[in-house]
Structures are given as C-alpha cells and as structure tokens.
Amino acid sequence: MSTSRPTRRGVLKAAAGLSATTALGATGVLASASAAHAAGDGFGLRIVDRNESDARMRYYRFATDAIGWNPGVNVLLPDGYHSGGRRYPVLYLFHGGGTGQDFITFDRMGIRAWTAGKPLIVVMPDGGPAGWYSNPVSSNVGPRNWETFHIAQLLPWVDANFRTYAEYNGRAVSGFSMGGFGALKYAAKYYGHFASVSSHSGPASLRRDAGLVTHWANVSSAAVELGGGTVYGAPLWNEARVSADNPVQRVESYRNKRVFLVAGTSPDPVNWFDTVNETQVLAGQREFKSVLGAAGIPHEGHEVPGGHFVRPDLFRRDLDGIVARLRKA
C-alpha cells in the first residue's frame, strides 16, 4: 500500500526556516520543533494506521467524525527534511474522481521523482471516489464531509505535526480533474489559506451548459459516494452552495494568487467519457480565463493536445512555479 508520513508532533509554526522554536502540540504539550517525534492525534483526527518507515513518504489513516470510514493521507517530505530544522512550504494535492482514485494516486504516477530535490512538502489526502471536495447536501451512508476533513482537520493537523509555514504564502493547492475543481474551490472559499492554485483538467464552471458539471457531481456522488444522496441537492440544487463553489463566480478570490490551468484540446473521439469530460473542462476553463482576464487577474493557462489525463511535463512546470511563488524553505 502506500508509504507514510513524517516526524514531529506539534509545531504551531512560529518563526523562520532554521529556528528550533517550541510550539503547542496536538496533545496540548509543549514540544521542541527540532525533536523527532512521531505524528500525533488532534483536530478531530485519531491515527488508526501509519507507516513512518520511509524517509520521504509517510502514510496515515484516520478515524474522524467528518467521514464515515477511515480516510488516508500520504505526506511526501523533501530530501533532507530529517537532517536539519528548516521549515517548508506545503502543497495540498488532490486526486480525481473514480473508484480507482485515492490518496495513493500521485505516488503511482511518480510524484516522488517529480519532486526530487524540491524544497516542498506535498500532502495527498483521500477525497472519496466522488466526494467533490464538498460537504454534501445529503448522504444515505453516513458522513462524507470532505471539506470539513480537509480544511478544518487535516490542514491544521499537518501544520502541528510537520515543520511547515502555517500562513498564506506557505501553502499551495492543486489537483487533477475532480481534484482540480477542489483546488479551485478551496482557494476561493478559503482565500487566506493558499497563495497558489492549480487545476489540471479540472472544471472551473458549474453553471455553463445548463449546469452540466453540477449535474455530473450529483449523479456521480449519488452513484458511488452517497448512496443516492447528492453533493448539491436534487432535483433542485442548493443555489447558494453552487454559487459559493463556482470558480467563475468567485473571480475576485483569485486576486494576488498564482493561478495555473491546464486543459486538453483533443479528447479521444471514440471515448465518450473522455470527449464529454475534457470538452466541458476546456470550455469551463476558457470561461474562467476570460473572467480572470476581464478582472485584470494574472494567470497561466495551457491548452494542449490530448484529453483527460495528467501531463507530467506540465505538472513538473507547475511544481517549479509553486516553489517559486511560496515562501522559501
């Protein structure tokens, strides 16, 4: 399965890169930021499984009231993390939808090689097969509050257990497909949390084409995530939730952030899912780039051949941009 997570029990991050400050840990005890403790419980998360044997990749699984099963997370540490006391910026990286996608997805793709030598912590959590990085309107299978898990629990847990910068300029968020949407959504709704946002083939418009993406979020979540419940409500949407989550309606929330977008221009013509998916992604990202441009908000957009898949070359380019934008280790 996946390897696991780092060292450190509670840093609330004070000062700068090389300092060995003290901070309040997850258990409420003062601990030295330079000490090598195992990660602890806190912020509504109780560790039920872990693997901290790998020098870079750490794995944890949590019990949490926010999710009706025990979600996992991989935390990828930079080279040299254990040999010094530096603090690092953090990238939250979200997987796409589907029953084969989870917190191990990017490890399978090669994230260790892509980040080799880069001074960056990468946090890759579960988001459910069709959780849409949201607290759903309804669920028939127990709690599936992914937004609460990621923002209210996991983010402060990471800051308390690893040497991070717990600040705006210390965090980025990125993702593929459904995860790209989640990245755009979180960056807007939680403006002060993330200085950089990237969407690799992620939808950026929920209302275009009669709300096709919103309908897909409802249908997919009902089928494989919520036992017939929905993310946005059916047959009528919760309009306030759609507006709050819709990137094209939150354009001012991307001001003063680094924005990086990727979409394919030639999906597989014989693959219905690929064609519908990436065609909608491309149209939505074009709409999003148009409103960003009209508002005078800088952004970097790439429209490249192919359909709905991760492009390692652009992913590596994105990682370089993230490191350049965030506070230095």
Side-chain angles (χ1 to χ4, degrees), residues 2-294:
S2 156
T3 35
S4 181
R5 251 242 196 201
T7 59
R8 254 273 21 87
R9 184 162 177 125
V11 299
L12 212 112
K13 320 38 289 200
L18 294 174
S19 64
T21 57
T22 59
L24 188 63
T27 59
V29 198
L30 284 175
S32 167
S34 62
H37 293 286
D41 300 341
F43 307 96
L45 301 177
R46 180 170 60 85
I47 300 170
V48 296
D49 193 23
R50 70 172 80 208
N51 184 344
E52 295 172 319
S53 62
D54 190 275
R56 292 194 62 202
M57 188 73 83
R58 303 300 175 91
Y59 152 73
Y60 301 90
R61 192 170 290 281
F62 304 107
T64 166
D65 289 342
I67 308 295
W69 52 278
N70 297 336
V73 61
N74 269 350
V75 179
L76 181 60
L77 300 173
D79 297 307
Y81 180 88
H82 305 290
S83 60
R86 291 195 295 173
R87 297 188 184 277
Y88 294 88
V90 182
L91 166 63
Y92 287 82
L93 181 57
F94 299 145
H95 65 77
T99 54
Q101 303 298 306
D102 58 18
F103 72 99
I104 312 174
T105 292
F106 285 99
D107 197 14
R108 297 185 186 108
M109 289 184 183
I111 188 67
R112 301 187 203 208
W114 299 348
T115 57
K118 297 188 188 306
L120 184 71
I121 294 171
V122 184
V123 178
M124 296 162 282
D126 269 328
W132 286 89
Y133 297 89
S134 297
N135 293 348
V137 167
S138 62
S139 170
N140 297 321
V141 292
R144 296 291 187 273
N145 296 315
W146 292 107
E147 190 167 340
T148 296
F149 170 59
H150 294 137
I151 300 297
Q153 296 181 328
L154 182 64
L155 190 148
W157 182 87
V158 168
D159 285 336
N161 284 282
F162 299 92
R163 295 194 310 274
T164 69
Y165 290 117
E167 62 185 57
Y168 177 73
N169 287 317
R171 300 191 196 100
V173 61
S174 178
F176 167 68
S177 189
M178 180 184 78
F181 165 75
L184 291 173
K185 168 188 168 171
Y186 286 171
K189 290 185 77 172
Y190 304 96
Y191 178 86
H193 285 24
F194 307 103
S196 175
V197 56
S198 315
S199 181
H200 295 258
S201 287
S205 178
L206 293 180
R207 296 187 182 276
R208 67 172 298 108
D209 297 332
L212 182 59
V213 173
T214 305
H215 284 302
W216 176 242
N218 278 342
V219 169
S220 61
S221 63
V224 300
E225 181 84 23
L226 301 172
T230 61
V231 169
Y232 289 113
L236 300 177
W237 307 333
N238 183 313
E239 295 289 349
R241 288 200 183 197
V242 173
S243 296
D245 290 1
N246 192 5
V248 299
Q249 292 182 259
R250 302 294 303 270
V251 62
E252 282 301 319
S253 296
Y254 300 95
R255 195 173 296 281
N256 300 319
K257 295 184 186 293
R258 172 185 175 270
V259 180
F260 185 93
L261 305 166
V262 178
T265 59
S266 53
D268 185 344
V270 299
N271 183 327
W272 177 88
F273 181 79
D274 192 62
T275 298
V276 173
N277 216 339
E278 200 65 12
T279 298
Q280 186 63 208
V281 164
L282 179 62
Q285 286 199 9
R286 284 177 172 174
E287 180 185 354
F288 185 47
K289 288 185 288 187
S290 175
V291 296
L292 288 172

